[in-house]
Amino acid sequence: MRSVKLLVVTGLAAASTLGCGDAATPGGDRAVVGTERAREVAAAWTGSEAARVWRQGYYPLGDAVQLPDKAFHDDNDKHAYITGNFRLEAPLPGTTKPEGEVRWSDGRSLTLPLTTARSAYDELARGGNSGPSLRVTGARLGTMTLLTSRGTATVPAWLFTIKGYDTPLKRVAVTPGKLPRPPIGPVRKQTAALGPLGGFEAVAGNGRTLTVRADHGACDDGPAVDVLETQDSVVLSASIRGVSDGPCTSELRTEKVTVKLRGPFGRRILLDAFTGRPVPYRQPGSASPSWS
């Protein structure tokens, strides 16, 4: 178990009493709470039916959208994408087949229902304002590579041609599987010693560095994330350091936290000690997880 360093504050979320008005939790006590719970979660998942379903399913750990090369040409194009302002200038193709195949680097595959080009386009085009727009001049079914719970995979994707760009904008054409029922329930009460993570964002450093989101309040020293590594899983325990016992504003702050692993993340299950569930991927800038 090791505490990890923090990166910069990335923003504010809805009001909360996290870290406000609670007695400060000593670092040692905080670590003990997280360690005991992490061991329980790891033991519950090892050899469980949920772990079996997880390892046989499709659960993305990367963005559903991949931008064209050299995107964006200017601030107008960037603003159009962020605001979901697209303009369709060509008919969208129908789905030529009902299913598509996800293929992993080890040769294994999974057949899943395909989404339509229209539904993929509608996920992108959520704006519709009078400002700058990205002009879609065509679409076809292709593939893209994406990090998943079972490693990097080649997945079906709709490839949208954007006027002015040499390569297409890609959006995944299959949806994640249903999350298996966890073999252990969540902790009943959130405290400074243990709370839920805000999501997973990235893996880097040859698989030994994870970036996750963690919340804290306005009157503390920020979040800490401890890690328990086993052969089958990586269990993260989020807590809050230096909680004040005086009055403070009801404010929830979210920070990116880097977690250093002893061994590569690989295909181990990334688990949240508080919820007892896999940590969902959250696209930067989005409040929606990759699965529910």
Side-chain angles (χ1 to χ4, degrees):
M1 295 288 294
R2 293 165 289 132
S3 293
V4 295
K5 64 181 181 180
L6 301 178
L7 297 180
V8 297
V9 172
T10 58
L12 301 179
S16 172
T17 56
L18 262 180
C20 300
D22 295 326
T25 303
D29 293 344
R30 185 190 70 235
V32 168
V33 171
T35 299
E36 291 180 350
R37 171 63 179 179
R39 288 173 177 165
E40 293 174 357
V41 170
W45 274 85
T46 299
S48 68
E49 174 65 11
R52 185 192 67 79
V53 172
W54 178 264
R55 291 195 171 91
Q56 293 182 358
Y58 164 66
Y59 302 96
L61 297 177
D63 291 349
V65 176
Q66 291 180 359
L67 299 175
D69 293 342
K70 300 180 181 179
F72 294 98
H73 291 335
D74 53 39
D75 289 341
N76 283 340
D77 283 1
K78 183 176 182 179
H79 180 74
Y81 176 73
I82 292 173
T83 58
N85 205 31
F86 287 75
R87 188 167 69 189
L88 186 59
E89 297 185 344
L92 292 173
T95 304
T96 57
K97 52 184 180 178
E99 297 178 327
E101 193 172 57
V102 178
R103 285 192 168 275
W104 282 271
S105 56
D106 62 3
R108 297 184 182 184
S109 63
L110 182 64
T111 300
L112 296 170
L114 284 174
T115 59
T116 64
R118 168 55 65 178
S119 63
Y121 175 79
D122 289 344
E123 287 293 325
L124 297 169
R126 294 180 174 272
N129 57 67
S130 59
S133 62
L134 290 172
R135 300 163 62 185
V136 177
T137 59
R140 62 183 176 86
L141 188 62
T143 62
M144 60 186 276
T145 57
L146 183 68
L147 179 64
T148 76
S149 58
R150 294 165 60 179
T152 301
T154 300
V155 301
W158 286 106
L159 280 51
F160 295 96
T161 303
I162 308 296
K163 188 174 180 60
Y165 290 87
D166 295 331
T167 59
L169 180 152
K170 303 178 181 180
R171 194 187 192 287
V172 172
V174 290
T175 56
K178 182 180 179 180
L179 189 70
R181 181 172 181 173
I184 186 171
V187 175
R188 291 185 178 181
K189 182 180 179 181
Q190 180 177 354
T191 65
L194 185 63
L197 285 162
F200 165 82
E201 285 202 1
V203 57
N206 295 322
R208 295 174 182 267
T209 301
L210 306 179
T211 301
V212 297
R213 296 184 190 179
D215 299 331
H216 68 105
C219 303
D220 54 54
D221 296 331
V225 178
D226 294 300
V227 56
L228 173 69
E229 299 185 53
T230 72
Q231 181 178 350
D232 300 318
S233 62
V234 174
V235 188
L236 302 181
S237 306
S239 59
I240 300 175
R241 300 178 295 110
V243 179
S244 170
D245 59 358
C248 63
T249 59
S250 295
E251 190 175 282
L252 183 66
R253 300 182 177 184
T254 300
E255 294 195 18
K256 290 184 180 181
V257 181
T258 57
V259 180
K260 300 292 185 179
L261 303 180
R262 292 189 178 93
F265 175 47
R267 298 177 186 177
R268 292 184 288 178
I269 307 174
L270 184 64
L271 298 168
D272 185 337
F274 182 87
T275 65
R277 295 159 58 101
V279 181
Y281 170 80
R282 290 183 183 269
Q283 183 174 342
S286 171
S288 301
S290 53
W291 62 79
S292 58

